[in-house]
Amino acid sequence: MIKALSYISNPFNTINNLAQLADSQTVASELKIKNLNVSIENNHILKNINIKIPNNKITCIIGPSGCGKSTLLKTINRLIDDNDKVRVDGEILIDGENIYGKKVEVTHIRKKMGLLSQRPTPLPMSIFDNIAFGCKIHGIRNKKQLKHIVEENLRAAGLWEEVKDRLHAPASSLSIGQQQRLCLARGLAIKPQFILGDESTSALDPISSRHIEDLFVKLKESYGVVLVTHTLRQALRIADHVIFIYMGEIVECGSAKELFNNPKNELTKQYLSGVFS
């Protein structure tokens, strides 16, 4: 098991750091998806997706393996359309701007999204430069400002005390768990409007997973948080809003309380009862 947060001496300090970070970064945002269809070669992966992602809530996307959950998340971040075999039709609107509009600049769109993948993906550079990299792309060059951003976000991810004396060491020298927190700090540093998580706790031990969940709960005070999860227990613990996908289509979505306690669709009832997974 990867013990991502077993190094945090006091996780509540991390929560307090996130609260301070949230106060300085709160942005009201809106994410709508209209008539979205995604095909890869001849496979129709996502079919007529129409949803609104609520702000300042945790939205969990659930469904069986291969149903299109991760594809939906990658489509929101424009990580899927680099392949010329992929076709995306429809609109994804962030504050009214269609991220698939013809004149949209992709780097500008990705600044709005902080992505935490299943496996950490640190850049092949120092710990410091991993956090500063996105900020430099978006025009921040002042060394003092960059130092402040690096420290602020490493503290928010509960990593500062462990790395403050080796900021210029390669990120690859960190443990896998530390690398995951580094990637979270890197995502927060560009002040995104949404945090996306693709099975971001699936490889972690239960204690570390709960620490990451606590971070997401605090982050929703400032961001919309969208998580793909195979773990219904996790969605039950932290979701405010749930989207159930089956065979590339949205079967049911709504408040977590309503969907889990009173599902309207028979497929949803079967999935929640463990008939298929």
Side-chain angles (χ1 to χ4, degrees), residues 196-249:
L196 310 178
D198 189 4
E199 298 286 352
S200 50
T201 64
S202 63
L204 309 182
D205 66 275
I207 294 175
S208 299
S209 293
R210 290 300 292 269
H211 286 325
I212 287 283
E213 289 173 8
D214 287 342
L215 299 183
F216 285 140
V217 170
K218 177 55 64 176
L219 284 169
K220 75 178 183 180
E221 295 179 8
S222 297
Y223 312 93
V225 180
V226 186
L227 307 176
V228 165
T229 180
H230 275 104
T231 308
L232 282 175
R233 292 188 302 275
Q234 182 177 71
L236 282 164
R237 283 193 296 268
I238 66 174
D240 302 299
H241 190 79
V242 176
I243 298 169
F244 171 48
I245 296 182
Y246 182 74
M247 299 293 286
E249 299 182 77

Side-chain angles (χ1 to χ4, degrees), residues 19-247:
Q20 295 170 7
L21 185 63
D23 289 341
S24 66
Q25 297 190 181
T26 300
V27 179
S29 302
E30 184 175 72
L31 175 57
K32 289 183 179 179
I33 300 176
K34 295 183 177 181
N35 304 316
L36 178 68
N37 287 271
V38 176
S39 298
I40 302 177
E41 294 185 325
N42 295 321
N43 298 315
H44 197 174
I45 308 298
L46 295 177
K47 306 166 186 175
N48 302 316
I49 305 296
N50 287 278
I51 49 174
K52 179 179 178 180
I53 305 294
N55 191 38
N56 299 120
K57 294 185 184 299
I58 295 176
T59 296
C60 283
I61 304 172
I62 63 172
S65 297
C67 69
K69 301 186 301 295
S70 292
T71 299
L72 177 57
L73 203 70
K74 291 175 182 177
T75 304
I76 292 173
N77 201 33
R78 290 205 58 172
L79 287 174
I80 198 168
D81 56 310
D82 291 337
N83 189 331
D84 58 11
K85 295 180 180 180
V86 173
R87 177 174 176 177
V88 179
D89 295 309
E91 295 181 323
I92 298 179
L93 303 166
I94 300 179
D95 299 332
E97 178 184 20
N98 180 16
I99 71 171
Y100 283 91
K102 292 182 180 180
K103 296 183 179 180
V104 167
E105 203 279 312
V106 176
T107 303
H108 161 69
I109 291 301
R110 288 180 181 158
K111 185 181 186 296
K112 297 174 182 285
M113 309 289 182
L115 178 64
L116 193 63
S117 302
Q118 181 177 357
R119 299 283 298 182
T121 53
L123 301 172
M125 52 186 66
S126 71
I127 295 167
F128 183 97
D129 286 337
N130 261 265
I131 307 302
F133 182 77
C135 302
K136 290 179 179 178
I137 286 178
H138 296 291
I140 299 175
R141 300 289 177 178
N142 182 277
K143 291 183 179 180
K144 185 175 181 180
Q145 186 179 4
L146 287 171
K147 286 181 180 179
H148 173 75
I149 290 170
V150 169
E151 179 176 348
E152 179 183 44
N153 289 284
L154 285 173
R155 286 187 182 279
L159 195 55
W160 174 251
E161 292 300 326
E162 298 163 41
V163 303
K164 64 182 181 181
D165 296 323
R166 50 175 177 144
L167 292 175
H168 298 289
S172 59
S173 67
L174 297 174
S175 70
I176 296 297
Q178 289 173 319
Q179 289 179 22
Q180 186 73 311
R181 284 183 281 149
L182 178 74
C183 291
L184 177 59
R186 187 179 69 203
L188 293 175
I190 60 172
K191 298 187 177 181
Q193 292 171 244
F194 291 90
I195 301 294
L196 310 178
D198 189 4
E199 298 286 352
S200 50
T201 64
S202 63
L204 309 182
D205 66 275
I207 294 175
S208 299
S209 293
R210 290 300 292 269
H211 286 325
I212 287 283
E213 289 173 8
D214 287 342
L215 299 183
F216 285 140
V217 170
K218 177 55 64 176
L219 284 169
K220 75 178 183 180
E221 295 179 8
S222 297
Y223 312 93
V225 180
V226 186
L227 307 176
V228 165
T229 180
H230 275 104
T231 308
L232 282 175
R233 292 188 302 275
Q234 182 177 71
L236 282 164
R237 283 193 296 268
I238 66 174
D240 302 299
H241 190 79
V242 176
I243 298 169
F244 171 48
I245 296 182
Y246 182 74
M247 299 293 286

Side-chain angles (χ1 to χ4, degrees), residues 256-270:
K257 183 177 180 181
E258 182 177 350
L259 190 143
F260 286 134
N261 295 325
N262 187 31
K264 296 179 175 61
N265 191 285
E266 185 60 31
L267 267 176
T268 311
K269 294 176 184 179
Q270 291 178 13

